[in-house]
Amino acid sequence: MGRKDASTARTPVDQYRKQIASKVNKIRISQMGAGRSLSQKGKQDYKKTRPMLRATRLKAEAKKTALGVKEVALVLAAILVFLLAFYAFFYLNISNEVDLDLDPDEN
């Protein structure tokens, strides 16, 4: 009997651990929908080795520094605007020269 009574009385540390475990399990269950798997006891399946960690870190850095579609589109748009302005400037200068050569009184 004494043994049964001792197992039912929980210390505050045990209660805290149980709360943390339930929160962790809820998080892991929500992540399972994202394609992640759990082991039976909720422990980590494996430890990542250093080369795997380094590869993951390099991949994340490459993703941060990679040019996105938005940046490429902005650069192309800026080049297009510059070329159109350049073309319009010379078109207007040439069209003004042609207009100066014509004399409206000659008709």
Side-chain angles (χ1 to χ4, degrees), residues 27-98:
I27 292 170
R28 289 190 178 165
I29 289 171
S30 67
Q31 290 175 346
M32 281 181 66
R36 296 184 179 161
S37 63
L38 286 176
S39 63
Q40 290 178 346
K41 294 184 180 179
K43 293 185 179 179
Q44 192 173 9
D45 290 334
Y46 63 91
K47 284 190 174 183
K48 290 187 177 181
T49 60
R50 283 188 182 173
M52 290 176 72
L53 290 172
R54 187 176 341 136
T56 305
R57 182 174 39 87
L58 291 174
K59 187 177 178 181
E61 287 176 6
K63 190 183 252 188
K64 284 181 185 177
T65 60
L67 289 177
V69 176
K70 189 185 290 186
E71 288 85 6
V72 171
L74 285 174
V75 169
L76 290 176
I79 291 171
L80 181 65
V81 167
F82 176 74
L83 288 175
L84 287 174
F86 189 73
Y87 176 77
F89 174 75
F90 281 108
Y91 177 76
L92 292 174
N93 279 342
I94 292 173
S95 65
N96 286 342
E97 289 176 9
V98 172

Side-chain angles (χ1 to χ4, degrees), residues 7-45:
S7 66
T8 58
R10 291 190 181 153
T11 62
V13 174
D14 289 336
Q15 290 176 352
Y16 180 71
R17 286 180 183 161
K18 188 164 184 166
Q19 287 175 353
I20 291 175
S22 67
K23 288 179 184 178
V24 168
N25 285 335
K26 286 179 185 178
I27 292 170
R28 289 190 178 165
I29 289 171
S30 67
Q31 290 175 346
M32 281 181 66
R36 296 184 179 161
S37 63
L38 286 176
S39 63
Q40 290 178 346
K41 294 184 180 179
K43 293 185 179 179
Q44 192 173 9
D45 290 334

